[in-house]
Amino acid sequence: MNYNKINGQHFLSMVSNANIRLENEKAYVDSLNVFPVPDGDTGTNMSMTFKAAVQEIEGMTTTSIGEVSKVMAKGALMGARGNSGVILSQIFRGIAKGLEGKEEVNAYEFALCLLEGSKSAYRAVMRPTEGTILTVIREVGEKGIEVHTDNVTEFMGKVVEIAGETLERTPDLLPQLKAANVVDSGGMGLLIILKGMFEALESGLKLAEKKAEASFEEYVAARDTHTEITFGYCTEFIILSEPDQGEFKAYLETMGDSIVYVGYDDIIKVHIHTDNPGLVLAEAGKRGELTKIKIENMREQHRNLQITEEHPVAVEKPVMPEVKEKYAFISVSMGDGIKDVFMDLGVKHVISGGQTMNPSTQDIVKAIEETNAEHIIILPNNKNIIMAANQAKDISSKDVYVIPTKTIPQGVAALTAFNLEADMETNYDALMASLETVKSGSVTYAVRDTEIDGKEIKQGDYLGLLESKIKEARTDLYGLTEDLIAAMVDEDSSSITLFYGEDVQEEEYQRFLEKLEEKYPDLDVMSVSGKQPLYYFIIAVE
């Protein structure tokens, strides 16, 4: 169907269809991960980010494309997960900037907005890498403005062609992609989104069919209902108003718990568990128009879930200290044992996440808002979470510092370098310096056949990673682990720490541990039951 101009409702249908398409194909995007490890989650992160963005605009009736895109961009910003999700959120933030104040746009005006999306994405990345989603959106923007047509549907068809052709060239720009015989996964995710937007226009704004598949968010929501429910109604809404000076937030604290209060430009996003949602909404209505209201009876959900679940999972909630502390740490990790280590080292709030399960910007903002301290320090412990952590820092009005820890060992090293008596500047320098004092290794398995750096890797092989790069690949778990440790130890090493995962067999592991102690009599060999999934071992050498 032909459209010479598109308005807010057209745009809503376009991105809604794109959301369905990406949700349906996220597993395929995940499979394009260059590394054959079982945590290739680009598709999952992009899908969850885009889903959060589209959920923000569902039900909007305005025809202003500027208004719809603005709300969507904020939803993407708060829901961004992983580097791919953060970059995607910045693309749509730039598009929204280009659409600001517009009721509708023609093909050329929309092309300019895509170019603005490209610029926004590049600004968000400190060291842009070509051959990635950045290249795809850049060429879409640069070549899109050269497309001469008055038909927006035809224009989007050309955009899809440009994106597809660029995606096919990503292996020529990034050697890792060529070696793995794949195209860039983030670029593929963007192509699916653009295709979904084009197909909506082509079909007369009809939406694609959803696959009957439970999302990760639904799983987490179901799991979380096992917690003890103090306040019965999960209440969420947005106030169309500029944030106040804290009066409404103070009121919320008297009405329930699990409070998230995020002010951004001219909206306030609120989440609270309360027994009186009507009173909360009435008070909120005094401050501006309300939208995206959602109230769920958690006690009813809890009763229903108990009927079908045999093994409830308890989710610990952080306790808000009554007195503001000088310092507080927020850390991200997976595995109950690793979580216990961080808590023992003084972390106030551990966000469950890491490989395969990157927390969103909003998850991190929520942790910041629940942390009562003068200085808040975030340890992402994963390279794919650092951008979301920095985005949360920028959103928060609190004094937040992000230490760019890429591994669990770096997170632990940072905590041991912290000095409660020192000032923040001194501590920041010490924590940053600590990242160079530890070597990080890990052992997992290959999910597919591939070749990386000349190494032939078969599905099911054990993989030894040194600082996130594949060092070893073979079928002998403990032989590989021993050689990986040998590559990490040098004459300056004083200790070896192994965090062993939930799939490690205890008896065999203990024999291996004894062998290590004999091999390295001058080093402290320490063992921690990390209980982490997917990774047999996470190794720290200091």
Side-chain angles (χ1 to χ4, degrees):
M1 191 168 177
N2 295 337
Y3 295 89
N4 290 330
K5 290 188 176 183
I6 54 173
N7 62 25
Q9 289 303 298
H10 298 138
F11 185 73
L12 194 157
S13 295
M14 290 164 66
V15 295
S16 295
N17 192 65
N19 177 45
I20 295 170
R21 283 294 307 273
L22 185 58
E23 173 70 16
N24 289 347
E25 299 185 46
K26 66 183 179 184
Y28 170 64
V29 178
D30 284 343
S31 73
L32 296 175
N33 185 49
V34 171
F35 271 16
V37 296
D39 52 21
D41 48 10
T42 300
T44 300
N45 283 336
M46 292 183 75
S47 179
M48 295 178 77
T49 299
F50 205 64
K51 182 177 181 179
V54 173
Q55 283 178 336
E56 287 299 315
I57 61 175
E58 288 176 348
M60 288 187 71
T61 58
T62 178
T63 58
S64 166
I65 195 169
E67 286 300 315
V68 173
S69 63
K70 181 178 181 180
V71 175
M72 180 185 173
K74 290 171 182 174
L77 181 76
M78 298 305 294
R81 295 174 186 267
N83 292 347
S84 58
V86 172
I87 292 171
L88 183 63
S89 74
Q90 292 302 316
I91 289 173
F92 277 88
R93 189 176 188 178
I95 290 173
K97 180 181 178 182
L99 294 171
E100 188 174 2
K102 299 184 184 300
E103 183 74 16
E104 58 183 10
V105 293
N106 59 28
Y108 181 70
E109 289 171 324
F110 196 64
L112 291 175
C113 296
L114 293 175
L115 183 61
E116 194 64 45
S118 165
K119 294 176 181 177
S120 177
Y122 270 83
R123 284 194 296 266
V125 179
M126 290 183 62
R127 289 181 290 274
T129 301
E130 296 301 329
T132 65
I133 183 176
L134 292 172
T135 305
V136 178
I137 187 59
R138 177 175 56 77
E139 296 209 358
V140 161
E142 291 175 349
K143 295 180 180 180
I145 59 174
E146 298 174 359
V147 175
H148 301 293
T149 178
D150 294 329
N151 185 339
V152 181
T153 306
E154 182 181 349
F155 167 73
M156 286 303 299
K158 293 292 185 182
V159 162
V160 169
E161 289 180 15
I162 295 167
E165 291 168 0
T166 306
L167 183 64
E168 289 299 316
R169 290 192 292 104
T170 55
D172 297 327
L173 300 172
L174 203 57
Q176 298 96 312
L177 296 174
K178 185 178 283 291
N181 195 31
V182 294
V183 295
D184 179 65
S185 55
M188 176 59 77
L190 180 60
L191 174 61
I192 291 169
I193 289 171
L194 294 172
K195 277 185 177 180
M197 295 172 70
F198 163 63
E199 289 168 356
L201 294 175
E202 190 179 41
S203 67
L205 306 182
K206 293 179 182 178
L207 300 187
E209 183 180 349
K210 295 181 182 179
K211 287 184 179 179
E213 180 180 53
S215 71
F216 171 76
E217 289 164 313
E218 290 166 346
Y219 167 74
V220 172
R223 183 187 67 190
D224 284 352
T225 57
H226 288 297
T227 58
E228 182 179 347
I229 299 172
T230 304
F231 298 94
Y233 296 92
C234 176
T235 306
E236 296 180 12
F237 54 91
I238 289 174
I239 309 173
L240 302 180
S241 171
E242 292 185 359
D244 61 25
Q245 300 302 310
E247 293 88 349
F248 185 53
K249 186 177 177 183
Y251 167 80
L252 291 174
E253 290 174 348
T254 68
M255 297 300 293
D257 63 10
S258 297
I259 298 166
V260 180
Y261 178 97
V262 179
Y264 188 79
D265 283 352
D266 56 351
I267 69 167
I268 306 168
K269 186 167 185 178
V270 178
H271 170 283
I272 183 173
H273 292 174
T274 180
D275 278 334
N276 298 285
L279 294 179
V280 172
L281 292 172
E283 188 67 25
K286 297 176 183 178
R287 287 159 171 79
E289 294 183 30
L290 304 185
T291 183
K292 297 298 293 178
I293 299 171
K294 184 176 73 172
I295 301 173
E296 294 179 344
N297 186 333
M298 296 187 297
R299 293 190 179 102
E300 181 181 22
Q301 291 177 336
H302 180 59
R303 287 192 295 269
N304 292 339
L305 194 64
Q306 283 183 314
I307 296 173
T308 57
E309 289 273 8
E310 293 182 3
H311 304 290
V313 179
V315 178
E316 296 182 18
K317 291 176 63 59
V319 178
M320 176 75 85
E322 293 182 0
V323 179
K324 178 178 280 192
E325 298 178 273
K326 183 177 181 181
Y327 294 107
F329 280 90
I330 296 171
S331 177
V332 182
S333 73
M334 289 185 70
D336 289 343
I338 293 176
K339 174 183 177 181
D340 290 343
V341 169
F342 281 114
M343 297 293 282
D344 290 343
L345 289 172
V347 172
K348 292 297 181 184
H349 194 137
V350 178
I351 302 172
S352 181
Q355 306 293 3
T356 76
M357 198 169 74
N358 299 151
S360 69
T361 299
Q362 183 158 345
D363 291 334
I364 302 172
V365 169
K366 182 175 184 291
I368 293 171
E369 292 301 308
E370 292 177 344
T371 302
N372 190 16
E374 183 180 347
H375 308 294
I376 299 171
I377 304 167
I378 302 176
L379 305 175
N381 301 329
N382 185 299
K383 65 180 182 180
N384 209 32
I385 301 174
I386 294 172
M387 287 184 74
N390 279 316
Q391 197 155 257
K393 169 193 169 184
D394 292 341
I395 291 171
S396 177
S397 60
K398 295 187 177 183
D399 191 40
V400 179
Y401 299 82
V402 176
I403 306 299
T405 52
K406 298 180 180 179
T407 65
I408 294 298
Q410 284 188 340
V412 172
L415 286 165
T416 56
F418 173 71
N419 181 0
L420 184 61
E421 303 303 320
D423 60 29
M424 187 61 230
E425 183 179 356
T426 301
N427 265 317
Y428 181 80
D429 292 341
L431 267 59
M432 292 296 291
S434 73
L435 305 186
E436 304 298 324
T437 67
V438 61
K439 297 176 183 177
S440 303
S442 57
V443 179
T444 183
Y445 60 92
V447 295
R448 58 180 170 83
D449 296 349
T450 190
E451 180 182 334
I452 292 185
D453 296 333
K455 297 181 179 67
E456 290 283 347
I457 299 171
K458 298 295 182 182
Q459 182 177 348
D461 281 355
Y462 297 111
L463 301 178
L465 285 74
L466 179 56
E467 307 297 350
S468 301
K469 295 185 178 180
I470 295 177
K471 179 76 174 176
E472 301 281 346
R474 52 204 230 216
T475 58
D476 176 12
L477 174 60
Y478 287 99
L480 176 145
T481 305
E482 183 177 356
D483 288 350
L484 178 63
I485 292 172
M488 298 171 69
V489 171
D490 58 30
E491 60 183 11
D492 296 323
S493 301
S494 60
S495 67
I496 302 169
T497 304
L498 287 90
F499 299 86
Y500 62 97
E502 60 184 10
D503 294 324
V504 171
Q505 300 298 314
E506 190 74 31
E507 291 184 9
E508 193 174 8
Y509 171 63
Q510 289 301 325
R511 290 195 294 269
F512 174 69
L513 204 57
E514 291 172 5
K515 184 178 181 180
L516 281 183
E517 291 171 343
E518 293 174 2
K519 185 174 181 178
Y520 301 104
D522 298 329
L523 274 64
D524 291 329
V525 178
M526 295 169 281
S527 174
V528 178
S529 176
K531 301 177 182 177
Q532 70 271 10
L534 304 178
Y535 282 71
Y536 298 99
F537 301 109
I538 295 173
I539 305 162
V541 173
E542 297 181 85

